[in-house]
Amino acid sequence: MNDHDSAYDGLVDGDGHGQWAFGTSFDDPLAGVDTTVPGDVDLGALARYCLMLGDDALVSSQRLAEWSTRAPELEEEVALANVGLDLIGQARLLLARAAAADSTVVPFISDTSPVPAEDALAFFRDQFGFRNVRLVELANGDFAHTVVRLLVFSTWRLALFDRLRMSRDPVLAAVANKGVKELTYHRDYAARWVVTLGAGTAESKRRTADALLEIFPFVDELFVPTQDELVLAEVGVGVDPRTVRPEFDAVLAQVLHAAEMEEPPSRFSGFVGGRGGRAGLHTGALGLLLAEMQSVAREHPEGVW
C-alpha cells in the first residue's frame, strides 16, 4: 500500500457529490432504460406517487438501522442491515424519479447547492412533507415487534411491486422489477421469524401477540388509496392498493396459521380530519426519527468529504 491508498476509498461516494446520503455501489436497475415519462401521465401525480413509495422505504430503512449493535444475534443484525440497505436503494431511485418528474417537490436549498435531489428530499423536508404510511415510523419496540412489522410491510409492498413491474412508467417498472427480488427475501425472512417466535416459548408467543396488537391498527392505512394512486392506476402507471388486499390477507393468514397465532380484531387507528401519513399527518415518532436521521446534513448542508 502506498501513501495515497486508503482502506476507506471504497466507501466514498463515486458520483462526485461526496456528501452524507445513500452511499454508492448500488446496482443500477435503470442502466439502458429509456426514462421518458409517457405523454399522457400527470407529472405531479407521478412525483407524489414516487415520493410516498420512496418515503415508505426511507423511513423503514432508518428504523432497521437502529438495530445496529442491538439485534439478538450478529446474524440477525447483518440480515436487518441488509434489508435496510435494499430499502435505501429503492428510496434513492424513487426520490430521484419524483424530483425528475416534478422539481417542485424538492425543498429549496440554493441555486448553487451541490445537494442532489434525492438527498434534499431525504434530509431537508420536515415531517409534514413526508408521505410515508404511519406503520413504518412506529418505534421499533422489541425484536418481535420489528419482524411482525417487517412481515406486514414487505408482504404489502411485494404485492404492490409485483404489479408495478407492468407499469407504463419505465422507471417504476425497473425499480419494481429489482425490488420484487429484494422484497421476496424480506417477506420470507420476517415470516420465518414470526413462525419461530409464535410457535416458540410462552414468552416469545406473548411478545408476538403483543406485536400483532400494536401493528394491526396501522394495516388498513396501507389500502386506502390517494387520488394520485387512482389517477395513475387508471392510466396503467400506478396500482390501486385495494387490489392487493386479497393477496396480502392470504399470505398473512398462512403465516399466522403456521405460527399458531390468531389475527387480532381489526382496530383501524383512524385518520384525523380524513388525513393520515399520505397527507403528511404522522405520529410523534416520525419527528424524533427525522431529527436523528437529518442532523448531520442540516448541520453541514453543503458539507463535502
Side-chain angles (χ1 to χ4, degrees), residues 85-125:
L85 287 172
D86 287 342
L87 292 172
I88 286 178
Q90 293 175 20
R92 183 177 193 176
L93 293 166
L94 288 163
L95 295 183
R97 185 53 161 176
D102 184 354
S103 62
T104 63
V105 303
V106 183
F108 177 75
I109 304 296
S110 75
D111 292 338
T112 59
S113 173
V115 179
E118 62 267 31
D119 286 8
L121 286 167
F123 298 107
F124 295 96
R125 280 181 294 161

mmCIF file of all heavy atoms in Angstrom, residues 85-125:
data_model
loop_
_atom_site.group_PDB
_atom_site.id
_atom_site.type_symbol
_atom_site.label_atom_id
_atom_site.label_comp_id
_atom_site.label_asym_id
_atom_site.label_seq_id
_atom_site.Cartn_x
_atom_site.Cartn_y
_atom_site.Cartn_z
ATOM 1 N N LEU A 85 -30.541 -1.737 3.706
ATOM 2 C CA LEU A 85 -29.794 -1.253 2.542
ATOM 3 C C LEU A 85 -30.587 -1.438 1.252
ATOM 4 O O LEU A 85 -30.552 -0.579 0.365
ATOM 5 C CB LEU A 85 -28.450 -1.978 2.445
ATOM 6 C CG LEU A 85 -27.401 -1.559 3.477
ATOM 7 C CD1 LEU A 85 -26.189 -2.484 3.410
ATOM 8 C CD2 LEU A 85 -26.969 -0.109 3.267
ATOM 9 N N ASP A 86 -31.298 -2.559 1.148
ATOM 10 C CA ASP A 86 -32.170 -2.748 -0.023
ATOM 11 C C ASP A 86 -33.197 -1.620 -0.109
ATOM 12 O O ASP A 86 -33.454 -1.067 -1.192
ATOM 13 C CB ASP A 86 -32.909 -4.084 0.072
ATOM 14 C CG ASP A 86 -32.022 -5.286 -0.178
ATOM 15 O OD1 ASP A 86 -30.930 -5.124 -0.750
ATOM 16 O OD2 ASP A 86 -32.430 -6.400 0.214
ATOM 17 N N LEU A 87 -33.789 -1.278 1.029
ATOM 18 C CA LEU A 87 -34.826 -0.248 1.041
ATOM 19 C C LEU A 87 -34.240 1.128 0.757
ATOM 20 O O LEU A 87 -34.886 1.965 0.104
ATOM 21 C CB LEU A 87 -35.555 -0.256 2.387
ATOM 22 C CG LEU A 87 -36.405 -1.510 2.641
ATOM 23 C CD1 LEU A 87 -36.928 -1.523 4.070
ATOM 24 C CD2 LEU A 87 -37.561 -1.597 1.644
ATOM 25 N N ILE A 88 -33.017 1.395 1.219
ATOM 26 C CA ILE A 88 -32.363 2.660 0.878
ATOM 27 C C ILE A 88 -32.157 2.755 -0.623
ATOM 28 O O ILE A 88 -32.359 3.817 -1.225
ATOM 29 C CB ILE A 88 -31.021 2.796 1.623
ATOM 30 C CG1 ILE A 88 -31.263 3.110 3.098
ATOM 31 C CG2 ILE A 88 -30.166 3.892 1.000
ATOM 32 C CD1 ILE A 88 -29.999 3.202 3.916
ATOM 33 N N GLY A 89 -31.751 1.647 -1.238
ATOM 34 C CA GLY A 89 -31.590 1.655 -2.692
ATOM 35 C C GLY A 89 -32.885 1.975 -3.405
ATOM 36 O O GLY A 89 -32.917 2.761 -4.360
ATOM 37 N N GLN A 90 -33.995 1.397 -2.941
ATOM 38 C CA GLN A 90 -35.298 1.708 -3.533
ATOM 39 C C GLN A 90 -35.663 3.172 -3.304
ATOM 40 O O GLN A 90 -36.173 3.850 -4.215
ATOM 41 C CB GLN A 90 -36.373 0.801 -2.925
ATOM 42 C CG GLN A 90 -36.228 -0.672 -3.270
ATOM 43 C CD GLN A 90 -37.238 -1.544 -2.553
ATOM 44 O OE1 GLN A 90 -38.266 -1.063 -2.080
ATOM 45 N NE2 GLN A 90 -36.964 -2.838 -2.466
ATOM 46 N N ALA A 91 -35.405 3.653 -2.091
ATOM 47 C CA ALA A 91 -35.732 5.042 -1.773
ATOM 48 C C ALA A 91 -34.970 6.004 -2.666
ATOM 49 O O ALA A 91 -35.528 6.990 -3.169
ATOM 50 C CB ALA A 91 -35.421 5.333 -0.303
ATOM 51 N N ARG A 92 -33.695 5.747 -2.862
ATOM 52 C CA ARG A 92 -32.876 6.647 -3.672
ATOM 53 C C ARG A 92 -33.429 6.781 -5.081
ATOM 54 O O ARG A 92 -33.559 7.886 -5.615
ATOM 55 C CB ARG A 92 -31.436 6.125 -3.712
ATOM 56 C CG ARG A 92 -30.483 7.035 -4.464
ATOM 57 C CD ARG A 92 -29.058 6.518 -4.417
ATOM 58 N NE ARG A 92 -28.131 7.557 -4.881
ATOM 59 C CZ ARG A 92 -26.816 7.421 -4.878
ATOM 60 N NH1 ARG A 92 -26.272 6.308 -4.452
ATOM 61 N NH2 ARG A 92 -26.047 8.398 -5.316
ATOM 62 N N LEU A 93 -33.773 5.654 -5.691
ATOM 63 C CA LEU A 93 -34.279 5.673 -7.063
ATOM 64 C C LEU A 93 -35.645 6.347 -7.148
ATOM 65 O O LEU A 93 -35.921 7.117 -8.074
ATOM 66 C CB LEU A 93 -34.360 4.244 -7.595
ATOM 67 C CG LEU A 93 -33.018 3.534 -7.787
ATOM 68 C CD1 LEU A 93 -33.233 2.037 -7.979
ATOM 69 C CD2 LEU A 93 -32.253 4.128 -8.970
ATOM 70 N N LEU A 94 -36.505 6.066 -6.178
ATOM 71 C CA LEU A 94 -37.858 6.623 -6.217
ATOM 72 C C LEU A 94 -37.866 8.118 -5.930
ATOM 73 O O LEU A 94 -38.607 8.880 -6.570
ATOM 74 C CB LEU A 94 -38.740 5.880 -5.217
ATOM 75 C CG LEU A 94 -39.109 4.450 -5.630
ATOM 76 C CD1 LEU A 94 -39.625 3.659 -4.441
ATOM 77 C CD2 LEU A 94 -40.138 4.460 -6.763
ATOM 78 N N LEU A 95 -37.044 8.572 -4.989
ATOM 79 C CA LEU A 95 -36.986 10.006 -4.704
ATOM 80 C C LEU A 95 -36.375 10.769 -5.884
ATOM 81 O O LEU A 95 -36.809 11.881 -6.205
ATOM 82 C CB LEU A 95 -36.187 10.263 -3.428
ATOM 83 C CG LEU A 95 -36.800 9.701 -2.133
ATOM 84 C CD1 LEU A 95 -35.948 10.078 -0.928
ATOM 85 C CD2 LEU A 95 -38.239 10.162 -1.938
ATOM 86 N N ALA A 96 -35.374 10.175 -6.512
ATOM 87 C CA ALA A 96 -34.793 10.812 -7.698
ATOM 88 C C ALA A 96 -35.825 10.901 -8.818
ATOM 89 O O ALA A 96 -35.897 11.910 -9.539
ATOM 90 C CB ALA A 96 -33.567 10.031 -8.165
ATOM 91 N N ARG A 97 -36.646 9.859 -8.974
ATOM 92 C CA ARG A 97 -37.694 9.884 -10.007
ATOM 93 C C ARG A 97 -38.735 10.946 -9.677
ATOM 94 O O ARG A 97 -39.232 11.650 -10.577
ATOM 95 C CB ARG A 97 -38.366 8.512 -10.105
ATOM 96 C CG ARG A 97 -39.408 8.391 -11.237
ATOM 97 C CD ARG A 97 -38.831 8.801 -12.574
ATOM 98 N NE ARG A 97 -39.605 8.311 -13.705
ATOM 99 C CZ ARG A 97 -39.327 8.622 -14.959
ATOM 100 N NH1 ARG A 97 -38.301 9.421 -15.227
ATOM 101 N NH2 ARG A 97 -40.055 8.146 -15.952
ATOM 102 N N ALA A 98 -39.076 11.085 -8.405
ATOM 103 C CA ALA A 98 -40.039 12.111 -8.013
ATOM 104 C C ALA A 98 -39.538 13.490 -8.407
ATOM 105 O O ALA A 98 -40.285 14.309 -8.971
ATOM 106 C CB ALA A 98 -40.277 12.050 -6.500
ATOM 107 N N ALA A 99 -38.268 13.761 -8.134
ATOM 108 C CA ALA A 99 -37.698 15.072 -8.451
ATOM 109 C C ALA A 99 -37.614 15.293 -9.952
ATOM 110 O O ALA A 99 -37.837 16.406 -10.441
ATOM 111 C CB ALA A 99 -36.316 15.200 -7.818
ATOM 112 N N ALA A 100 -37.290 14.239 -10.695
ATOM 113 C CA ALA A 100 -37.187 14.372 -12.154
ATOM 114 C C ALA A 100 -38.552 14.604 -12.788
ATOM 115 O O ALA A 100 -38.673 15.327 -13.780
ATOM 116 C CB ALA A 100 -36.538 13.116 -12.734
ATOM 117 N N ALA A 101 -39.586 14.006 -12.204
ATOM 118 C CA ALA A 101 -40.936 14.168 -12.754
ATOM 119 C C ALA A 101 -41.483 15.563 -12.485
ATOM 120 O O ALA A 101 -42.146 16.160 -13.341
ATOM 121 C CB ALA A 101 -41.874 13.113 -12.174
ATOM 122 N N ASP A 102 -41.205 16.106 -11.296
ATOM 123 C CA ASP A 102 -41.718 17.427 -10.925
ATOM 124 C C ASP A 102 -40.773 18.034 -9.891
ATOM 125 O O ASP A 102 -40.809 17.662 -8.713
ATOM 126 C CB ASP A 102 -43.132 17.297 -10.348
ATOM 127 C CG ASP A 102 -43.765 18.656 -10.037
ATOM 128 O OD1 ASP A 102 -43.076 19.684 -10.160
ATOM 129 O OD2 ASP A 102 -44.950 18.673 -9.656
ATOM 130 N N SER A 103 -39.953 18.955 -10.314
ATOM 131 C CA SER A 103 -38.921 19.518 -9.434
ATOM 132 C C SER A 103 -39.503 20.333 -8.286
ATOM 133 O O SER A 103 -38.797 20.631 -7.319
ATOM 134 C CB SER A 103 -37.960 20.401 -10.243
ATOM 135 O OG SER A 103 -38.658 21.499 -10.822
ATOM 136 N N THR A 104 -40.787 20.679 -8.354
ATOM 137 C CA THR A 104 -41.369 21.478 -7.274
ATOM 138 C C THR A 104 -41.504 20.688 -5.970
ATOM 139 O O THR A 104 -41.742 21.276 -4.920
ATOM 140 C CB THR A 104 -42.755 22.021 -7.669
ATOM 141 O OG1 THR A 104 -43.657 20.921 -7.880
ATOM 142 C CG2 THR A 104 -42.664 22.861 -8.938
ATOM 143 N N VAL A 105 -41.331 19.353 -6.029
ATOM 144 C CA VAL A 105 -41.411 18.571 -4.794
ATOM 145 C C VAL A 105 -40.129 18.675 -3.978
ATOM 146 O O VAL A 105 -40.101 18.282 -2.810
ATOM 147 C CB VAL A 105 -41.693 17.076 -5.074
ATOM 148 C CG1 VAL A 105 -42.968 16.905 -5.871
ATOM 149 C CG2 VAL A 105 -40.517 16.394 -5.761
ATOM 150 N N VAL A 106 -39.045 19.215 -4.576
ATOM 151 C CA VAL A 106 -37.747 19.255 -3.902
ATOM 152 C C VAL A 106 -37.639 20.506 -3.045
ATOM 153 O O VAL A 106 -37.888 21.612 -3.522
ATOM 154 C CB VAL A 106 -36.599 19.227 -4.928
ATOM 155 C CG1 VAL A 106 -35.245 19.205 -4.212
ATOM 156 C CG2 VAL A 106 -36.734 18.023 -5.846
ATOM 157 N N PRO A 107 -37.247 20.356 -1.764
ATOM 158 C CA PRO A 107 -37.067 21.540 -0.918
ATOM 159 C C PRO A 107 -35.995 22.455 -1.493
ATOM 160 O O PRO A 107 -35.010 21.996 -2.071
ATOM 161 C CB PRO A 107 -36.611 20.951 0.431
ATOM 162 C CG PRO A 107 -37.020 19.523 0.393
ATOM 163 C CD PRO A 107 -36.974 19.107 -1.045
ATOM 164 N N PHE A 108 -36.204 23.755 -1.335
ATOM 165 C CA PHE A 108 -35.237 24.723 -1.846
ATOM 166 C C PHE A 108 -33.991 24.711 -0.970
ATOM 167 O O PHE A 108 -34.069 24.847 0.240
ATOM 168 C CB PHE A 108 -35.842 26.126 -1.852
ATOM 169 C CG PHE A 108 -34.887 27.196 -2.288
ATOM 170 C CD1 PHE A 108 -34.568 27.335 -3.616
ATOM 171 C CD2 PHE A 108 -34.286 28.039 -1.367
ATOM 172 C CE1 PHE A 108 -33.682 28.320 -4.036
ATOM 173 C CE2 PHE A 108 -33.408 29.016 -1.767
ATOM 174 C CZ PHE A 108 -33.107 29.163 -3.110
ATOM 175 N N ILE A 109 -32.821 24.533 -1.580
ATOM 176 C CA ILE A 109 -31.555 24.611 -0.853
ATOM 177 C C ILE A 109 -30.845 25.893 -1.265
ATOM 178 O O ILE A 109 -30.802 26.870 -0.548
ATOM 179 C CB ILE A 109 -30.655 23.388 -1.132
ATOM 180 C CG1 ILE A 109 -31.407 22.096 -0.806
ATOM 181 C CG2 ILE A 109 -29.377 23.467 -0.315
ATOM 182 C CD1 ILE A 109 -31.773 21.934 0.650
ATOM 183 N N SER A 110 -30.293 25.921 -2.446
ATOM 184 C CA SER A 110 -29.734 27.124 -3.044
ATOM 185 C C SER A 110 -29.489 26.826 -4.513
ATOM 186 O O SER A 110 -29.392 25.665 -4.913
ATOM 187 C CB SER A 110 -28.428 27.550 -2.360
ATOM 188 O OG SER A 110 -27.362 26.707 -2.738
ATOM 189 N N ASP A 111 -29.387 27.871 -5.280
ATOM 190 C CA ASP A 111 -29.213 27.677 -6.725
ATOM 191 C C ASP A 111 -27.894 26.992 -7.057
ATOM 192 O O ASP A 111 -27.769 26.342 -8.098
ATOM 193 C CB ASP A 111 -29.284 29.028 -7.452
ATOM 194 C CG ASP A 111 -30.677 29.641 -7.390
ATOM 195 O OD1 ASP A 111 -31.634 28.864 -7.181
ATOM 196 O OD2 ASP A 111 -30.800 30.869 -7.530
ATOM 197 N N THR A 112 -26.913 27.147 -6.189
ATOM 198 C CA THR A 112 -25.587 26.584 -6.465
ATOM 199 C C THR A 112 -25.279 25.377 -5.573
ATOM 200 O O THR A 112 -24.149 24.924 -5.532
ATOM 201 C CB THR A 112 -24.506 27.659 -6.249
ATOM 202 O OG1 THR A 112 -24.572 28.130 -4.894
ATOM 203 C CG2 THR A 112 -24.710 28.819 -7.207
ATOM 204 N N SER A 113 -26.254 24.889 -4.859
ATOM 205 C CA SER A 113 -26.018 23.796 -3.919
ATOM 206 C C SER A 113 -25.604 22.516 -4.641
ATOM 207 O O SER A 113 -26.161 22.173 -5.691
ATOM 208 C CB SER A 113 -27.279 23.525 -3.103
ATOM 209 O OG SER A 113 -27.115 22.369 -2.318
ATOM 210 N N PRO A 114 -24.610 21.795 -4.078
ATOM 211 C CA PRO A 114 -24.226 20.510 -4.664
ATOM 212 C C PRO A 114 -25.132 19.368 -4.236
ATOM 213 O O PRO A 114 -24.920 18.222 -4.610
ATOM 214 C CB PRO A 114 -22.814 20.305 -4.102
ATOM 215 C CG PRO A 114 -22.854 20.958 -2.751
ATOM 216 C CD PRO A 114 -23.760 22.160 -2.928
ATOM 217 N N VAL A 115 -26.160 19.661 -3.451
ATOM 218 C CA VAL A 115 -27.018 18.607 -2.897
ATOM 219 C C VAL A 115 -27.857 17.985 -4.014
ATOM 220 O O VAL A 115 -28.650 18.680 -4.663
ATOM 221 C CB VAL A 115 -27.943 19.180 -1.809
ATOM 222 C CG1 VAL A 115 -28.847 18.079 -1.256
ATOM 223 C CG2 VAL A 115 -27.123 19.812 -0.691
ATOM 224 N N PRO A 116 -27.729 16.676 -4.270
ATOM 225 C CA PRO A 116 -28.586 16.035 -5.269
ATOM 226 C C PRO A 116 -30.027 15.984 -4.785
ATOM 227 O O PRO A 116 -30.308 16.041 -3.581
ATOM 228 C CB PRO A 116 -27.993 14.627 -5.403
ATOM 229 C CG PRO A 116 -27.241 14.405 -4.146
ATOM 230 C CD PRO A 116 -26.756 15.738 -3.679
ATOM 231 N N ALA A 117 -30.938 15.878 -5.727
ATOM 232 C CA ALA A 117 -32.364 15.996 -5.407
ATOM 233 C C ALA A 117 -32.819 14.970 -4.376
ATOM 234 O O ALA A 117 -33.574 15.294 -3.459
ATOM 235 C CB ALA A 117 -33.184 15.860 -6.681
ATOM 236 N N GLU A 118 -32.362 13.713 -4.519
ATOM 237 C CA GLU A 118 -32.830 12.698 -3.578
ATOM 238 C C GLU A 118 -32.331 12.971 -2.161
ATOM 239 O O GLU A 118 -33.004 12.657 -1.176
ATOM 240 C CB GLU A 118 -32.421 11.288 -4.032
ATOM 241 C CG GLU A 118 -30.925 11.038 -4.122
ATOM 242 C CD GLU A 118 -30.365 11.300 -5.505
ATOM 243 O OE1 GLU A 118 -30.894 12.176 -6.207
ATOM 244 O OE2 GLU A 118 -29.391 10.613 -5.873
ATOM 245 N N ASP A 119 -31.142 13.583 -2.046
ATOM 246 C CA ASP A 119 -30.636 13.955 -0.721
ATOM 247 C C ASP A 119 -31.463 15.095 -0.130
ATOM 248 O O ASP A 119 -31.775 15.100 1.062
ATOM 249 C CB ASP A 119 -29.171 14.394 -0.815
ATOM 250 C CG ASP A 119 -28.226 13.221 -1.034
ATOM 251 O OD1 ASP A 119 -28.723 12.109 -1.263
ATOM 252 O OD2 ASP A 119 -27.004 13.417 -0.985
ATOM 253 N N ALA A 120 -31.781 16.065 -0.963
ATOM 254 C CA ALA A 120 -32.596 17.183 -0.484
ATOM 255 C C ALA A 120 -33.944 16.689 0.028
ATOM 256 O O ALA A 120 -34.435 17.134 1.073
ATOM 257 C CB ALA A 120 -32.792 18.205 -1.603
ATOM 258 N N LEU A 121 -34.526 15.741 -0.682
ATOM 259 C CA LEU A 121 -35.815 15.201 -0.264
ATOM 260 C C LEU A 121 -35.697 14.401 1.033
ATOM 261 O O LEU A 121 -36.588 14.419 1.875
ATOM 262 C CB LEU A 121 -36.396 14.320 -1.367
ATOM 263 C CG LEU A 121 -36.946 15.081 -2.578
ATOM 264 C CD1 LEU A 121 -37.204 14.135 -3.745
ATOM 265 C CD2 LEU A 121 -38.226 15.821 -2.210
ATOM 266 N N ALA A 122 -34.601 13.707 1.208
ATOM 267 C CA ALA A 122 -34.428 12.900 2.414
ATOM 268 C C ALA A 122 -34.111 13.741 3.635
ATOM 269 O O ALA A 122 -34.608 13.466 4.729
ATOM 270 C CB ALA A 122 -33.313 11.873 2.193
ATOM 271 N N PHE A 123 -33.317 14.791 3.460
ATOM 272 C CA PHE A 123 -32.733 15.462 4.613
ATOM 273 C C PHE A 123 -33.225 16.882 4.873
ATOM 274 O O PHE A 123 -32.905 17.461 5.914
ATOM 275 C CB PHE A 123 -31.210 15.476 4.487
ATOM 276 C CG PHE A 123 -30.618 14.097 4.469
ATOM 277 C CD1 PHE A 123 -30.111 13.565 3.304
ATOM 278 C CD2 PHE A 123 -30.603 13.325 5.613
ATOM 279 C CE1 PHE A 123 -29.581 12.287 3.288
ATOM 280 C CE2 PHE A 123 -30.082 12.038 5.604
ATOM 281 C CZ PHE A 123 -29.562 11.521 4.432
ATOM 282 N N PHE A 124 -34.007 17.452 3.962
ATOM 283 C CA PHE A 124 -34.398 18.844 4.148
ATOM 284 C C PHE A 124 -35.906 19.077 4.081
ATOM 285 O O PHE A 124 -36.355 20.188 3.883
ATOM 286 C CB PHE A 124 -33.664 19.740 3.147
ATOM 287 C CG PHE A 124 -32.179 19.755 3.385
ATOM 288 C CD1 PHE A 124 -31.344 18.928 2.668
ATOM 289 C CD2 PHE A 124 -31.636 20.559 4.368
ATOM 290 C CE1 PHE A 124 -29.978 18.914 2.910
ATOM 291 C CE2 PHE A 124 -30.274 20.557 4.625
ATOM 292 C CZ PHE A 124 -29.436 19.734 3.887
ATOM 293 N N ARG A 125 -36.672 18.014 4.264
ATOM 294 C CA ARG A 125 -38.106 18.181 4.470
ATOM 295 C C ARG A 125 -38.419 18.004 5.948
ATOM 296 O O ARG A 125 -37.771 17.205 6.629
ATOM 297 C CB ARG A 125 -38.896 17.121 3.683
ATOM 298 C CG ARG A 125 -39.069 17.414 2.206
ATOM 299 C CD ARG A 125 -39.879 16.299 1.546
ATOM 300 N NE ARG A 125 -39.156 15.025 1.554
ATOM 301 C CZ ARG A 125 -39.726 13.835 1.390
ATOM 302 N NH1 ARG A 125 -41.037 13.739 1.258
ATOM 303 N NH2 ARG A 125 -38.992 12.743 1.387
#
